[in-house]
Amino acid sequence: MEGNRGRRVKNRVVLGVTALVVIWTVVVHAQSHWNPTFAYPLFIGIAFHSFVVGDHHTLSWDKIGFAAELAVNLATYIGLSIAIPVRFFG
């Protein structure tokens, strides 16, 4: 009985952290002005955006780079928010 309760609590924590990551990422990307303080945790995606866009500074490449940046940030932090509790809390 206690095992199911612990598993439900862990699932809620993982879901909460995942929701926080998604909200943080979307809020930072949806801002009308860029705030570097909030963007530091998203540097992985920003670096990937620069890798994708390279020297091609057109609107199409910028949109592709933005989509790649958003996908990398979400995948990285959702993966970490699931992997860390599984690794350290069973």
Side-chain angles (χ1 to χ4, degrees):
M1 206 48 123
E2 193 66 36
N4 285 337
R5 183 170 181 250
R7 195 173 315 134
R8 280 186 284 159
V9 170
K10 184 178 77 169
N11 288 341
R12 285 183 183 172
V13 169
V14 169
L15 182 64
V17 170
T18 303
L20 177 71
V21 166
V22 170
I23 290 169
W24 182 282
T25 304
V26 170
V27 164
V28 168
H29 284 94
Q31 291 179 355
S32 60
H33 61 281
W34 186 252
N35 187 345
T37 305
F38 295 127
Y40 286 130
L42 303 177
F43 182 73
I44 298 165
I46 295 168
F48 195 76
H49 174 103
S50 297
F51 176 73
V52 169
V53 173
D55 290 334
H56 308 287
H57 296 290
T58 63
L59 184 58
S60 297
W61 276 104
D62 196 40
K63 287 182 179 180
I64 293 168
F66 175 74
E69 174 182 347
L70 189 60
V72 166
N73 282 329
L74 288 174
T76 300
Y77 289 112
I78 288 174
L80 284 174
S81 70
I82 292 172
I84 290 173
V86 167
R87 170 66 176 98
F88 291 107
F89 302 111

